[in-house]
Amino acid sequence: LPYEIQALRVGNGALVALPGEVFVEYAHQIMAASPFAATAVAAYASDCPSYIPTAAAFAEGGYEVDSAIRYYGTTMPFPDAEARIVAAASELLGQLRQ
């Protein structure tokens, strides 16, 4: 599925918008990698294709990984989505800093 990440610079800060019900670890990683003093990460932006679990959550299983997808009617992201999403968001923030 397409996954559109958006980033917006607001003065000395930034906002990253991610589709779906992302796990909080995404926000922690993106904020830690951000070149901005203040960075906010928002979920449910533009679309909500499914839960967006971390790679560790796939290994642990549970509702978000094993069962919730049947209510969304889409496909589940792969475990490597975490690294790809964090890298793409970090790249966007780097471009905004230039």
Side-chain angles (χ1 to χ4, degrees), residues 29-90:
Q29 291 178 62
I30 291 167
M31 290 186 296
S34 177
F36 293 93
T39 300
V41 179
Y44 308 100
S46 302
D47 194 8
C48 191
S50 68
Y51 277 100
I52 313 297
T54 60
F58 277 95
E60 295 168 0
Y63 171 77
E64 296 89 346
V65 175
D66 299 325
S67 303
I69 195 65
R70 67 180 167 196
Y71 300 108
Y72 286 98
T74 61
T75 187
M76 195 68 181
F78 291 105
D80 72 335
E82 177 182 6
R84 295 169 63 191
I85 290 168
V86 171
S90 298

Side-chain angles (χ1 to χ4, degrees), residues 19-36:
E21 295 193 50
V22 296
F23 282 36
V24 70
E25 291 85 356
Y26 284 90
H28 294 167
Q29 291 178 62
I30 291 167
M31 290 186 296
S34 177
F36 293 93

Side-chain angles (χ1 to χ4, degrees), residues 3 8 19 29 32 61-62 74 89 91:
Y3 192 84
L8 173 70
Q29 291 178 62
T74 61
E91 182 178 335

